Amino acid sequence: MRITEGMIYNNFLSNINKIDEQINNVNNEIATGRKILSPSSDPISLTKALNINSELNMFSSYTKNINTSVSNLNAADSSLQNANNELMNIKNLAIQGANGTNDSDSYNALADNVDQELELLKNIANSSFEGNIFLAEQKAINLQLQLKINRRLLYQVPVHCRQTLKYQFQSSLQIFISLQTENIQYLLMVQPQKSL
Amino acid sequence: MSGLFDGLSIGLSGLNASQTSLNTTENNIANANTPGYSTQAVNLAEAPSALDIPGTRGRGVAITSITSSRDDLLEKRLRNSSSLLTFYKTTSNWLSQVETLVNEPAGSGLDSSLNNFFSSFNDLSTDPSSETARSNVANNAKTLAESFKQIDSSLSNMLTQGDSELSQNIDKANQLISSIAHINGNISNAELGGIDRANSLRDKRGELVKQLSNIVPINTYETGYKSTGQAEFALQIGGMSVISGKDFHQLKTVQVGQHNRLFYINSGGSLTDITGSVKSKSTGSVSALLNTKDIIEKYRSKLDEIAKDLMDQVNIIHTKGMGLTGYSSLASTNQVNSADTVVSSSNLPIAITKGSFDVVVVDSNGNHTTTSITINDSSTFSDVKDSLSSISGISAHIDGNNHLVVQADTGKKFFLTNDNTGFLASVGMGTFFSGDSASNMKLNPAIANDFSKIAAGLTDNAGDGQNASAIAGLSSSQVLKNGTTSITELYNSLVSDVGIDGQNYKSLKNNQQSLTDQINTERESKSGVSLNEEAAKLIKFQKAFSASAKFITVIDNLTNTILGMIR
C-alpha cells in the first residue's frame, strides 16, 4: 500500500484523539466520583440508579416517620406512666380517707392533697408532643383541660369535635377515666381492692 | 539519416519533459496539505519517430498530458461517508446538549426536585400543624414547577437555535452552490477542446461538492451533452435540480408556523417545500437539524405529559382533603366550555366521572355542615352550580369568562372536599397546582397566598396528615397509564430515552468516523501526496534534466568541432 504523509498524520491525530477522549472520560470519572457521567454513558444503569435513588428516598422517609412515631409513642408512654403514678397516689389518699380515725382537719388535708394531684393530672392530660395534645388526637391545639370546682375534671371540647373526655373523681372511692366518643366509651376504673 | 541539429531538438524535448515533471512534482509538494488535492503526474510518451534508413529513429520525448490521480468513485464514497458522519455528529452534539439540560445523574436535575417535593409532603404528613412544613411543601412545589419550566424553555430555546442554525447552513449552502456553478463554467471553458483536463478546477469542485454534501443531502451526476460535446455536471437537492452546468437555483428557509422550513426557489421565484425529502435522506447537517428538532419535540411532549400527570394526580388527591381554614370565596382556575356543557364530556383536562363531592360549610361558631353534591352522567355545569347555590351559607355562579365561582355568606367559610369524581381537580377548585403543561405549571395562587389551604388532612383538624401522606405516596405508586407506571418511573423513562438516543447517535458517530477515516486513508493512499515519492521523483527528474543538459553541451561541442573544421 502506498503510504503518504497525510495518512500518517491523520492516523496519528485520530489515535491520539481517541486516547485523549478516554483520558478525559476517566479524569471526569475520578473528579466526579461517578461512573455514569451523562445519561448516554450508560442509560440502562442510569435508569436503575434513578430508581434506586427514589427508593432510597422512600426508605429515608420511612426512617424519618418511624423515628417520629417512636418519639411520639415514648412521650405518650411517659405521660401515661406519670398519670398512672398520680392515680396511684390518689388511690393511696383514698385508702387513707377510708380510715375512720381521721378527724375533719385530716379529711380537709386529704382533700387538698387530692386537689393537688388532680392539678398534676390535668397538666399531664394537657401534655403535648410537637404542639399536639395526645388526648385530643388530631384536633387539640387549643383545647385545654379545665379543673372544675366540684372536684370533677371535665375535658370539654367544642361540639363539632363530637368527642368528650372525662376524668371523674367521685367520693365513692372509684376513679373513672372515660373517653367518650359518639359511639364508643372507654372506661378506666380504679378501685381499691379492699371493699370499704 | 539524422542531422546534427536533430540532436538539439531531442535534447530540448528531454529538458522540457524534465522541467515540466519537476514543476509538477514541486506543485505536488506545495499542495501536499491542500484539502481535496490529488497528485498530478506528467504523462510522457516517445515522440513520433522518423522513418529512416536503416530503421526508425527516435525524436525525443513528448508530453502527452498532465493527469490527476483523482478517483471520482472514491471521492463519491468519501463524500457520502463524510456527509453521513456530519449528520451523526450534528445530531449527537445537539443530543448531548439535551443531556446537559436533563442534568442527571449530577443530582441537580428534575429527579431531585421531584424527590424533595414528595418528601416535603411526607414531612407535612407527620407534622401537619407545622407552618414550616407547609411552607416547605409550597417552596418545594415552586422549585419543582420552576425546574419543569426551565427544562421546557431550554428545550424550546434549542429549537429556536436550531432554526437559526438551519438558516446559517442554508446561506453557506447557497454560497457553495453558486461557487460550484461558477467553477462548472470555468471547467467547461478550460476543457473546451475536449482534450485537456482542468485538474485543479475539478479538485476544487470536488472539495466544494463535499462541503455542500456535508450540509444538505445531494445527488450528483454528469449529464446532458451540449454542442461542445462535454458532459455537464448536475446536482440535485431533495429531488430538485439545483445545479446544471453553470446554471443554478438557490435554497431558502422560511418560517412556517413556529419553525423554519426549507424551500427551493424555482426559476419564476416561486417556492417548493423540500423539507420532507431533505429530512428523510439523513445525511448532512441540515437533515440532522430537522431530525433533531423532531427528537426534541418528542422530549418536550413527554415532559409535558409528566408535568400534566403529576399535576393531575396531586390535584385529584388534594381535592379529596381539607386545609386548615376554609375559603370565603373560590373561583375555578380553568374555564368551562359553557354553562350548559355536560361535565362528563367537557373540554377540561381530567375526565370527570359520576360520583359526588362534599361541601362543608363552617359557621362563625365553628359548626360544620356537610352537604354532598352528586354528579351523574347528564349533569351540566349549571346543574352543579345550582346544587352548590342551594346549600345554605354559600352561593355559586358562573362568571363572564365561564369560571365557576363559589362564595360564602358573611362570617362563613366553606371547604370543597372528598371528591371522587375528578370534578374539583378538573375545573381547578382547591387544587394544589394550576396549569396543564410543563411551561405553565405553577402552584395554585390560592395556596401560594395562604399555606393553610394545603389540604394535608381529610378533615380540617390541625393534626390530620392523612391526605399529605397520600400525596407523598404518589411518588412510587403506579397510578399512571392504567396503573402500570409511577411518576418517578415516567420521568426516569424520559431520562433513559435521552440517554439511549444520545448513546445511539454517539456510537453511530464513532462507527461512521472510523468508516470515514478508512475511506480517507484509501483516498490518501491513492491520490494523496507522498513526499518521499516526490523527493525520489525530484532526484530522478533532476538527473534526467542534467543528462539532457549535458547532451546539449555535447551537441554544442560537436557543432563547435564542425565549425572549427571550417575555420
Side-chain angles (χ1 to χ4, degrees), chain B residues 169-182 207-215 243 250:
Chain B
N169 271 304
I170 293 305
D171 287 348
K172 216 162 133 197
N174 278 336
Q175 279 173 20
L176 288 169
I177 288 169
S178 65
S179 306
I180 293 169
H182 185 68
E207 183 60 24
L208 292 180
V209 171
K210 188 174 142 194
Q211 282 177 23
L212 183 61
S213 77
N214 283 342
I215 298 175
I243 299 176
Q250 299 249 284

mmCIF file with all atom_site columns, all heavy atoms in Angstrom, chain B residues 169-182 207-215 243 250:
data_model
loop_
_atom_site.group_PDB
_atom_site.id
_atom_site.type_symbol
_atom_site.label_atom_id
_atom_site.label_alt_id
_atom_site.label_comp_id
_atom_site.label_asym_id
_atom_site.label_entity_id
_atom_site.label_seq_id
_atom_site.pdbx_PDB_ins_code
_atom_site.Cartn_x
_atom_site.Cartn_y
_atom_site.Cartn_z
_atom_site.occupancy
_atom_site.B_iso_or_equiv
_atom_site.pdbx_formal_charge
_atom_site.auth_seq_id
_atom_site.auth_comp_id
_atom_site.auth_asym_id
_atom_site.auth_atom_id
_atom_site.pdbx_PDB_model_num
ATOM 1   N N   . ASN B 1 169 ? -26.816 27.500 7.835   1.00 0.00 ? 169 ASN B N   1
ATOM 2   C CA  . ASN B 1 169 ? -26.357 26.413 6.986   1.00 0.00 ? 169 ASN B CA  1
ATOM 3   C C   . ASN B 1 169 ? -26.798 26.608 5.549   1.00 0.00 ? 169 ASN B C   1
ATOM 4   O O   . ASN B 1 169 ? -26.058 26.324 4.612   1.00 0.00 ? 169 ASN B O   1
ATOM 5   C CB  . ASN B 1 169 ? -26.893 25.077 7.508   1.00 0.00 ? 169 ASN B CB  1
ATOM 6   C CG  . ASN B 1 169 ? -25.956 24.471 8.516   1.00 0.00 ? 169 ASN B CG  1
ATOM 7   O OD1 . ASN B 1 169 ? -24.791 24.271 8.216   1.00 0.00 ? 169 ASN B OD1 1
ATOM 8   N ND2 . ASN B 1 169 ? -26.435 24.194 9.704   1.00 0.00 ? 169 ASN B ND2 1
ATOM 9   N N   . ILE B 1 170 ? -28.046 27.068 5.404   1.00 0.00 ? 170 ILE B N   1
ATOM 10  C CA  . ILE B 1 170 ? -28.573 27.236 4.046   1.00 0.00 ? 170 ILE B CA  1
ATOM 11  C C   . ILE B 1 170 ? -27.853 28.390 3.343   1.00 0.00 ? 170 ILE B C   1
ATOM 12  O O   . ILE B 1 170 ? -27.560 28.316 2.144   1.00 0.00 ? 170 ILE B O   1
ATOM 13  C CB  . ILE B 1 170 ? -30.104 27.455 4.091   1.00 0.00 ? 170 ILE B CB  1
ATOM 14  C CG1 . ILE B 1 170 ? -30.789 26.181 4.585   1.00 0.00 ? 170 ILE B CG1 1
ATOM 15  C CG2 . ILE B 1 170 ? -30.643 27.847 2.738   1.00 0.00 ? 170 ILE B CG2 1
ATOM 16  C CD1 . ILE B 1 170 ? -30.460 24.934 3.787   1.00 0.00 ? 170 ILE B CD1 1
ATOM 17  N N   . ASP B 1 171 ? -27.526 29.454 4.091   1.00 0.00 ? 171 ASP B N   1
ATOM 18  C CA  . ASP B 1 171 ? -26.747 30.547 3.498   1.00 0.00 ? 171 ASP B CA  1
ATOM 19  C C   . ASP B 1 171 ? -25.426 30.019 2.954   1.00 0.00 ? 171 ASP B C   1
ATOM 20  O O   . ASP B 1 171 ? -25.014 30.349 1.842   1.00 0.00 ? 171 ASP B O   1
ATOM 21  C CB  . ASP B 1 171 ? -26.447 31.628 4.552   1.00 0.00 ? 171 ASP B CB  1
ATOM 22  C CG  . ASP B 1 171 ? -27.694 32.433 4.884   1.00 0.00 ? 171 ASP B CG  1
ATOM 23  O OD1 . ASP B 1 171 ? -28.685 32.278 4.136   1.00 0.00 ? 171 ASP B OD1 1
ATOM 24  O OD2 . ASP B 1 171 ? -27.671 33.191 5.875   1.00 0.00 ? 171 ASP B OD2 1
ATOM 25  N N   . LYS B 1 172 ? -24.773 29.179 3.766   1.00 0.00 ? 172 LYS B N   1
ATOM 26  C CA  . LYS B 1 172 ? -23.495 28.603 3.364   1.00 0.00 ? 172 LYS B CA  1
ATOM 27  C C   . LYS B 1 172 ? -23.688 27.713 2.127   1.00 0.00 ? 172 LYS B C   1
ATOM 28  O O   . LYS B 1 172 ? -22.902 27.774 1.175   1.00 0.00 ? 172 LYS B O   1
ATOM 29  C CB  . LYS B 1 172 ? -22.940 27.765 4.518   1.00 0.00 ? 172 LYS B CB  1
ATOM 30  C CG  . LYS B 1 172 ? -21.447 27.817 4.649   1.00 0.00 ? 172 LYS B CG  1
ATOM 31  C CD  . LYS B 1 172 ? -21.062 27.337 6.038   1.00 0.00 ? 172 LYS B CD  1
ATOM 32  C CE  . LYS B 1 172 ? -19.943 26.343 5.992   1.00 0.00 ? 172 LYS B CE  1
ATOM 33  N NZ  . LYS B 1 172 ? -19.819 25.572 7.234   1.00 0.00 ? 172 LYS B NZ  1
ATOM 34  N N   . ALA B 1 173 ? -24.761 26.922 2.166   1.00 0.00 ? 173 ALA B N   1
ATOM 35  C CA  . ALA B 1 173 ? -25.040 26.024 1.038   1.00 0.00 ? 173 ALA B CA  1
ATOM 36  C C   . ALA B 1 173 ? -25.239 26.846 -0.234  1.00 0.00 ? 173 ALA B C   1
ATOM 37  O O   . ALA B 1 173 ? -24.740 26.474 -1.302  1.00 0.00 ? 173 ALA B O   1
ATOM 38  C CB  . ALA B 1 173 ? -26.257 25.180 1.329   1.00 0.00 ? 173 ALA B CB  1
ATOM 39  N N   . ASN B 1 174 ? -25.944 27.965 -0.108  1.00 0.00 ? 174 ASN B N   1
ATOM 40  C CA  . ASN B 1 174 ? -26.192 28.802 -1.282  1.00 0.00 ? 174 ASN B CA  1
ATOM 41  C C   . ASN B 1 174 ? -24.897 29.343 -1.874  1.00 0.00 ? 174 ASN B C   1
ATOM 42  O O   . ASN B 1 174 ? -24.723 29.366 -3.092  1.00 0.00 ? 174 ASN B O   1
ATOM 43  C CB  . ASN B 1 174 ? -27.119 29.967 -0.910  1.00 0.00 ? 174 ASN B CB  1
ATOM 44  C CG  . ASN B 1 174 ? -28.573 29.522 -0.907  1.00 0.00 ? 174 ASN B CG  1
ATOM 45  O OD1 . ASN B 1 174 ? -28.909 28.545 -1.573  1.00 0.00 ? 174 ASN B OD1 1
ATOM 46  N ND2 . ASN B 1 174 ? -29.406 30.216 -0.167  1.00 0.00 ? 174 ASN B ND2 1
ATOM 47  N N   . GLN B 1 175 ? -23.977 29.756 -0.989  1.00 0.00 ? 175 GLN B N   1
ATOM 48  C CA  . GLN B 1 175 ? -22.671 30.215 -1.465  1.00 0.00 ? 175 GLN B CA  1
ATOM 49  C C   . GLN B 1 175 ? -21.961 29.115 -2.233  1.00 0.00 ? 175 GLN B C   1
ATOM 50  O O   . GLN B 1 175 ? -21.417 29.339 -3.320  1.00 0.00 ? 175 GLN B O   1
ATOM 51  C CB  . GLN B 1 175 ? -21.783 30.613 -0.279  1.00 0.00 ? 175 GLN B CB  1
ATOM 52  C CG  . GLN B 1 175 ? -22.074 31.993 0.252   1.00 0.00 ? 175 GLN B CG  1
ATOM 53  C CD  . GLN B 1 175 ? -21.277 32.246 1.521   1.00 0.00 ? 175 GLN B CD  1
ATOM 54  O OE1 . GLN B 1 175 ? -20.279 31.571 1.770   1.00 0.00 ? 175 GLN B OE1 1
ATOM 55  N NE2 . GLN B 1 175 ? -21.716 33.204 2.309   1.00 0.00 ? 175 GLN B NE2 1
ATOM 56  N N   . LEU B 1 176 ? -21.970 27.918 -1.625  1.00 0.00 ? 176 LEU B N   1
ATOM 57  C CA  . LEU B 1 176 ? -21.305 26.784 -2.261  1.00 0.00 ? 176 LEU B CA  1
ATOM 58  C C   . LEU B 1 176 ? -21.933 26.483 -3.608  1.00 0.00 ? 176 LEU B C   1
ATOM 59  O O   . LEU B 1 176 ? -21.230 26.222 -4.591  1.00 0.00 ? 176 LEU B O   1
ATOM 60  C CB  . LEU B 1 176 ? -21.372 25.557 -1.348  1.00 0.00 ? 176 LEU B CB  1
ATOM 61  C CG  . LEU B 1 176 ? -20.492 25.614 -0.109  1.00 0.00 ? 176 LEU B CG  1
ATOM 62  C CD1 . LEU B 1 176 ? -20.840 24.491 0.845   1.00 0.00 ? 176 LEU B CD1 1
ATOM 63  C CD2 . LEU B 1 176 ? -19.028 25.519 -0.511  1.00 0.00 ? 176 LEU B CD2 1
ATOM 64  N N   . ILE B 1 177 ? -23.273 26.548 -3.642  1.00 0.00 ? 177 ILE B N   1
ATOM 65  C CA  . ILE B 1 177 ? -23.970 26.232 -4.895  1.00 0.00 ? 177 ILE B CA  1
ATOM 66  C C   . ILE B 1 177 ? -23.526 27.188 -5.997  1.00 0.00 ? 177 ILE B C   1
ATOM 67  O O   . ILE B 1 177 ? -23.171 26.764 -7.110  1.00 0.00 ? 177 ILE B O   1
ATOM 68  C CB  . ILE B 1 177 ? -25.502 26.308 -4.695  1.00 0.00 ? 177 ILE B CB  1
ATOM 69  C CG1 . ILE B 1 177 ? -25.971 25.117 -3.863  1.00 0.00 ? 177 ILE B CG1 1
ATOM 70  C CG2 . ILE B 1 177 ? -26.231 26.329 -6.024  1.00 0.00 ? 177 ILE B CG2 1
ATOM 71  C CD1 . ILE B 1 177 ? -27.394 25.232 -3.384  1.00 0.00 ? 177 ILE B CD1 1
ATOM 72  N N   . SER B 1 178 ? -23.474 28.481 -5.685  1.00 0.00 ? 178 SER B N   1
ATOM 73  C CA  . SER B 1 178 ? -23.099 29.421 -6.739  1.00 0.00 ? 178 SER B CA  1
ATOM 74  C C   . SER B 1 178 ? -21.626 29.244 -7.113  1.00 0.00 ? 178 SER B C   1
ATOM 75  O O   . SER B 1 178 ? -21.267 29.354 -8.284  1.00 0.00 ? 178 SER B O   1
ATOM 76  C CB  . SER B 1 178 ? -23.423 30.864 -6.336  1.00 0.00 ? 178 SER B CB  1
ATOM 77  O OG  . SER B 1 178 ? -22.637 31.245 -5.256  1.00 0.00 ? 178 SER B OG  1
ATOM 78  N N   . SER B 1 179 ? -20.757 28.937 -6.119  1.00 0.00 ? 179 SER B N   1
ATOM 79  C CA  . SER B 1 179 ? -19.344 28.701 -6.447  1.00 0.00 ? 179 SER B CA  1
ATOM 80  C C   . SER B 1 179 ? -19.197 27.503 -7.367  1.00 0.00 ? 179 SER B C   1
ATOM 81  O O   . SER B 1 179 ? -18.434 27.540 -8.343  1.00 0.00 ? 179 SER B O   1
ATOM 82  C CB  . SER B 1 179 ? -18.524 28.433 -5.193  1.00 0.00 ? 179 SER B CB  1
ATOM 83  O OG  . SER B 1 179 ? -18.693 29.446 -4.279  1.00 0.00 ? 179 SER B OG  1
ATOM 84  N N   . ILE B 1 180 ? -19.924 26.420 -7.025  1.00 0.00 ? 180 ILE B N   1
ATOM 85  C CA  . ILE B 1 180 ? -19.802 25.206 -7.838  1.00 0.00 ? 180 ILE B CA  1
ATOM 86  C C   . ILE B 1 180 ? -20.254 25.479 -9.267  1.00 0.00 ? 180 ILE B C   1
ATOM 87  O O   . ILE B 1 180 ? -19.595 25.089 -10.245 1.00 0.00 ? 180 ILE B O   1
ATOM 88  C CB  . ILE B 1 180 ? -20.627 24.052 -7.212  1.00 0.00 ? 180 ILE B CB  1
ATOM 89  C CG1 . ILE B 1 180 ? -20.009 23.632 -5.884  1.00 0.00 ? 180 ILE B CG1 1
ATOM 90  C CG2 . ILE B 1 180 ? -20.677 22.863 -8.155  1.00 0.00 ? 180 ILE B CG2 1
ATOM 91  C CD1 . ILE B 1 180 ? -20.873 22.705 -5.073  1.00 0.00 ? 180 ILE B CD1 1
ATOM 92  N N   . ALA B 1 181 ? -21.364 26.204 -9.393  1.00 0.00 ? 181 ALA B N   1
ATOM 93  C CA  . ALA B 1 181 ? -21.875 26.509 -10.731 1.00 0.00 ? 181 ALA B CA  1
ATOM 94  C C   . ALA B 1 181 ? -20.858 27.346 -11.499 1.00 0.00 ? 181 ALA B C   1
ATOM 95  O O   . ALA B 1 181 ? -20.626 27.130 -12.696 1.00 0.00 ? 181 ALA B O   1
ATOM 96  C CB  . ALA B 1 181 ? -23.202 27.246 -10.620 1.00 0.00 ? 181 ALA B CB  1
ATOM 97  N N   . HIS B 1 182 ? -20.233 28.280 -10.772 1.00 0.00 ? 182 HIS B N   1
ATOM 98  C CA  . HIS B 1 182 ? -19.224 29.126 -11.393 1.00 0.00 ? 182 HIS B CA  1
ATOM 99  C C   . HIS B 1 182 ? -18.043 28.287 -11.890 1.00 0.00 ? 182 HIS B C   1
ATOM 100 O O   . HIS B 1 182 ? -17.578 28.449 -13.027 1.00 0.00 ? 182 HIS B O   1
ATOM 101 C CB  . HIS B 1 182 ? -18.754 30.149 -10.356 1.00 0.00 ? 182 HIS B CB  1
ATOM 102 C CG  . HIS B 1 182 ? -17.793 31.151 -10.898 1.00 0.00 ? 182 HIS B CG  1
ATOM 103 N ND1 . HIS B 1 182 ? -18.161 32.108 -11.819 1.00 0.00 ? 182 HIS B ND1 1
ATOM 104 C CD2 . HIS B 1 182 ? -16.479 31.336 -10.649 1.00 0.00 ? 182 HIS B CD2 1
ATOM 105 C CE1 . HIS B 1 182 ? -17.117 32.842 -12.120 1.00 0.00 ? 182 HIS B CE1 1
ATOM 106 N NE2 . HIS B 1 182 ? -16.066 32.395 -11.424 1.00 0.00 ? 182 HIS B NE2 1
ATOM 107 N N   . GLU B 1 207 ? -13.966 19.344 -3.819  1.00 0.00 ? 207 GLU B N   1
ATOM 108 C CA  . GLU B 1 207 ? -13.918 19.772 -2.421  1.00 0.00 ? 207 GLU B CA  1
ATOM 109 C C   . GLU B 1 207 ? -15.182 20.550 -2.044  1.00 0.00 ? 207 GLU B C   1
ATOM 110 O O   . GLU B 1 207 ? -15.771 20.336 -0.980  1.00 0.00 ? 207 GLU B O   1
ATOM 111 C CB  . GLU B 1 207 ? -12.658 20.616 -2.198  1.00 0.00 ? 207 GLU B CB  1
ATOM 112 C CG  . GLU B 1 207 ? -12.427 21.089 -0.781  1.00 0.00 ? 207 GLU B CG  1
ATOM 113 C CD  . GLU B 1 207 ? -12.285 19.939 0.199   1.00 0.00 ? 207 GLU B CD  1
ATOM 114 O OE1 . GLU B 1 207 ? -11.924 18.826 -0.221  1.00 0.00 ? 207 GLU B OE1 1
ATOM 115 O OE2 . GLU B 1 207 ? -12.565 20.163 1.398   1.00 0.00 ? 207 GLU B OE2 1
ATOM 116 N N   . LEU B 1 208 ? -15.607 21.447 -2.950  1.00 0.00 ? 208 LEU B N   1
ATOM 117 C CA  . LEU B 1 208 ? -16.807 22.237 -2.659  1.00 0.00 ? 208 LEU B CA  1
ATOM 118 C C   . LEU B 1 208 ? -18.046 21.355 -2.597  1.00 0.00 ? 208 LEU B C   1
ATOM 119 O O   . LEU B 1 208 ? -18.918 21.538 -1.735  1.00 0.00 ? 208 LEU B O   1
ATOM 120 C CB  . LEU B 1 208 ? -16.993 23.330 -3.719  1.00 0.00 ? 208 LEU B CB  1
ATOM 121 C CG  . LEU B 1 208 ? -15.952 24.447 -3.708  1.00 0.00 ? 208 LEU B CG  1
ATOM 122 C CD1 . LEU B 1 208 ? -16.257 25.459 -4.806  1.00 0.00 ? 208 LEU B CD1 1
ATOM 123 C CD2 . LEU B 1 208 ? -15.917 25.136 -2.359  1.00 0.00 ? 208 LEU B CD2 1
ATOM 124 N N   . VAL B 1 209 ? -18.126 20.379 -3.513  1.00 0.00 ? 209 VAL B N   1
ATOM 125 C CA  . VAL B 1 209 ? -19.276 19.471 -3.511  1.00 0.00 ? 209 VAL B CA  1
ATOM 126 C C   . VAL B 1 209 ? -19.290 18.683 -2.201  1.00 0.00 ? 209 VAL B C   1
ATOM 127 O O   . VAL B 1 209 ? -20.339 18.452 -1.603  1.00 0.00 ? 209 VAL B O   1
ATOM 128 C CB  . VAL B 1 209 ? -19.230 18.524 -4.731  1.00 0.00 ? 209 VAL B CB  1
ATOM 129 C CG1 . VAL B 1 209 ? -20.287 17.445 -4.608  1.00 0.00 ? 209 VAL B CG1 1
ATOM 130 C CG2 . VAL B 1 209 ? -19.441 19.308 -6.009  1.00 0.00 ? 209 VAL B CG2 1
ATOM 131 N N   . LYS B 1 210 ? -18.097 18.317 -1.739  1.00 0.00 ? 210 LYS B N   1
ATOM 132 C CA  . LYS B 1 210 ? -18.014 17.591 -0.471  1.00 0.00 ? 210 LYS B CA  1
ATOM 133 C C   . LYS B 1 210 ? -18.533 18.464 0.669   1.00 0.00 ? 210 LYS B C   1
ATOM 134 O O   . LYS B 1 210 ? -19.313 18.023 1.507   1.00 0.00 ? 210 LYS B O   1
ATOM 135 C CB  . LYS B 1 210 ? -16.562 17.174 -0.214  1.00 0.00 ? 210 LYS B CB  1
ATOM 136 C CG  . LYS B 1 210 ? -16.405 16.271 0.974   1.00 0.00 ? 210 LYS B CG  1
ATOM 137 C CD  . LYS B 1 210 ? -14.981 15.784 1.080   1.00 0.00 ? 210 LYS B CD  1
ATOM 138 C CE  . LYS B 1 210 ? -14.559 15.718 2.515   1.00 0.00 ? 210 LYS B CE  1
ATOM 139 N NZ  . LYS B 1 210 ? -13.116 15.567 2.650   1.00 0.00 ? 210 LYS B NZ  1
ATOM 140 N N   . GLN B 1 211 ? -18.112 19.725 0.653   1.00 0.00 ? 211 GLN B N   1
ATOM 141 C CA  . GLN B 1 211 ? -18.594 20.637 1.701   1.00 0.00 ? 211 GLN B CA  1
ATOM 142 C C   . GLN B 1 211 ? -20.110 20.775 1.645   1.00 0.00 ? 211 GLN B C   1
ATOM 143 O O   . GLN B 1 211 ? -20.785 20.786 2.669   1.00 0.00 ? 211 GLN B O   1
ATOM 144 C CB  . GLN B 1 211 ? -17.947 22.013 1.543   1.00 0.00 ? 211 GLN B CB  1
ATOM 145 C CG  . GLN B 1 211 ? -16.525 22.059 2.058   1.00 0.00 ? 211 GLN B CG  1
ATOM 146 C CD  . GLN B 1 211 ? -15.891 23.419 1.826   1.00 0.00 ? 211 GLN B CD  1
ATOM 147 O OE1 . GLN B 1 211 ? -16.584 24.416 1.690   1.00 0.00 ? 211 GLN B OE1 1
ATOM 148 N NE2 . GLN B 1 211 ? -14.570 23.435 1.777   1.00 0.00 ? 211 GLN B NE2 1
ATOM 149 N N   . LEU B 1 212 ? -20.630 20.873 0.411   1.00 0.00 ? 212 LEU B N   1
ATOM 150 C CA  . LEU B 1 212 ? -22.083 21.017 0.251   1.00 0.00 ? 212 LEU B CA  1
ATOM 151 C C   . LEU B 1 212 ? -22.798 19.766 0.754   1.00 0.00 ? 212 LEU B C   1
ATOM 152 O O   . LEU B 1 212 ? -23.830 19.857 1.418   1.00 0.00 ? 212 LEU B O   1
ATOM 153 C CB  . LEU B 1 212 ? -22.411 21.277 -1.220  1.00 0.00 ? 212 LEU B CB  1
ATOM 154 C CG  . LEU B 1 212 ? -23.881 21.521 -1.546  1.00 0.00 ? 212 LEU B CG  1
ATOM 155 C CD1 . LEU B 1 212 ? -24.394 22.747 -0.818  1.00 0.00 ? 212 LEU B CD1 1
ATOM 156 C CD2 . LEU B 1 212 ? -24.097 21.690 -3.036  1.00 0.00 ? 212 LEU B CD2 1
ATOM 157 N N   . SER B 1 213 ? -22.197 18.597 0.443   1.00 0.00 ? 213 SER B N   1
ATOM 158 C CA  . SER B 1 213 ? -22.857 17.353 0.852   1.00 0.00 ? 213 SER B CA  1
ATOM 159 C C   . SER B 1 213 ? -22.840 17.203 2.368   1.00 0.00 ? 213 SER B C   1
ATOM 160 O O   . SER B 1 213 ? -23.647 16.486 2.937   1.00 0.00 ? 213 SER B O   1
ATOM 161 C CB  . SER B 1 213 ? -22.198 16.144 0.199   1.00 0.00 ? 213 SER B CB  1
ATOM 162 O OG  . SER B 1 213 ? -20.997 15.842 0.862   1.00 0.00 ? 213 SER B OG  1
ATOM 163 N N   . ASN B 1 214 ? -21.894 17.896 3.036   1.00 0.00 ? 214 ASN B N   1
ATOM 164 C CA  . ASN B 1 214 ? -21.902 17.871 4.494   1.00 0.00 ? 214 ASN B CA  1
ATOM 165 C C   . ASN B 1 214 ? -23.038 18.721 5.066   1.00 0.00 ? 214 ASN B C   1
ATOM 166 O O   . ASN B 1 214 ? -23.365 18.622 6.228   1.00 0.00 ? 214 ASN B O   1
ATOM 167 C CB  . ASN B 1 214 ? -20.574 18.385 5.044   1.00 0.00 ? 214 ASN B CB  1
ATOM 168 C CG  . ASN B 1 214 ? -19.497 17.339 4.926   1.00 0.00 ? 214 ASN B CG  1
ATOM 169 O OD1 . ASN B 1 214 ? -19.801 16.163 4.751   1.00 0.00 ? 214 ASN B OD1 1
ATOM 170 N ND2 . ASN B 1 214 ? -18.257 17.766 5.010   1.00 0.00 ? 214 ASN B ND2 1
ATOM 171 N N   . ILE B 1 215 ? -23.589 19.582 4.227   1.00 0.00 ? 215 ILE B N   1
ATOM 172 C CA  . ILE B 1 215 ? -24.688 20.434 4.703   1.00 0.00 ? 215 ILE B CA  1
ATOM 173 C C   . ILE B 1 215 ? -26.043 19.836 4.325   1.00 0.00 ? 215 ILE B C   1
ATOM 174 O O   . ILE B 1 215 ? -26.899 19.624 5.167   1.00 0.00 ? 215 ILE B O   1
ATOM 175 C CB  . ILE B 1 215 ? -24.543 21.862 4.137   1.00 0.00 ? 215 ILE B CB  1
ATOM 176 C CG1 . ILE B 1 215 ? -23.236 22.480 4.626   1.00 0.00 ? 215 ILE B CG1 1
ATOM 177 C CG2 . ILE B 1 215 ? -25.718 22.722 4.572   1.00 0.00 ? 215 ILE B CG2 1
ATOM 178 C CD1 . ILE B 1 215 ? -22.935 23.814 4.038   1.00 0.00 ? 215 ILE B CD1 1
ATOM 179 N N   . ILE B 1 243 ? -28.107 22.452 -9.473  1.00 0.00 ? 243 ILE B N   1
ATOM 180 C CA  . ILE B 1 243 ? -27.049 22.900 -10.374 1.00 0.00 ? 243 ILE B CA  1
ATOM 181 C C   . ILE B 1 243 ? -27.114 22.081 -11.649 1.00 0.00 ? 243 ILE B C   1
ATOM 182 O O   . ILE B 1 243 ? -27.279 20.861 -11.616 1.00 0.00 ? 243 ILE B O   1
ATOM 183 C CB  . ILE B 1 243 ? -25.652 22.711 -9.742  1.00 0.00 ? 243 ILE B CB  1
ATOM 184 C CG1 . ILE B 1 243 ? -25.537 23.534 -8.475  1.00 0.00 ? 243 ILE B CG1 1
ATOM 185 C CG2 . ILE B 1 243 ? -24.561 23.112 -10.728 1.00 0.00 ? 243 ILE B CG2 1
ATOM 186 C CD1 . ILE B 1 243 ? -24.233 23.343 -7.743  1.00 0.00 ? 243 ILE B CD1 1
ATOM 187 N N   . GLN B 1 250 ? -31.216 28.541 -6.011  1.00 0.00 ? 250 GLN B N   1
ATOM 188 C CA  . GLN B 1 250 ? -30.827 28.666 -4.609  1.00 0.00 ? 250 GLN B CA  1
ATOM 189 C C   . GLN B 1 250 ? -31.914 28.100 -3.693  1.00 0.00 ? 250 GLN B C   1
ATOM 190 O O   . GLN B 1 250 ? -33.021 27.810 -4.121  1.00 0.00 ? 250 GLN B O   1
ATOM 191 C CB  . GLN B 1 250 ? -30.570 30.131 -4.259  1.00 0.00 ? 250 GLN B CB  1
ATOM 192 C CG  . GLN B 1 250 ? -29.445 30.715 -5.089  1.00 0.00 ? 250 GLN B CG  1
ATOM 193 C CD  . GLN B 1 250 ? -28.204 31.011 -4.299  1.00 0.00 ? 250 GLN B CD  1
ATOM 194 O OE1 . GLN B 1 250 ? -28.141 31.971 -3.573  1.00 0.00 ? 250 GLN B OE1 1
ATOM 195 N NE2 . GLN B 1 250 ? -27.204 30.177 -4.444  1.00 0.00 ? 250 GLN B NE2 1
#
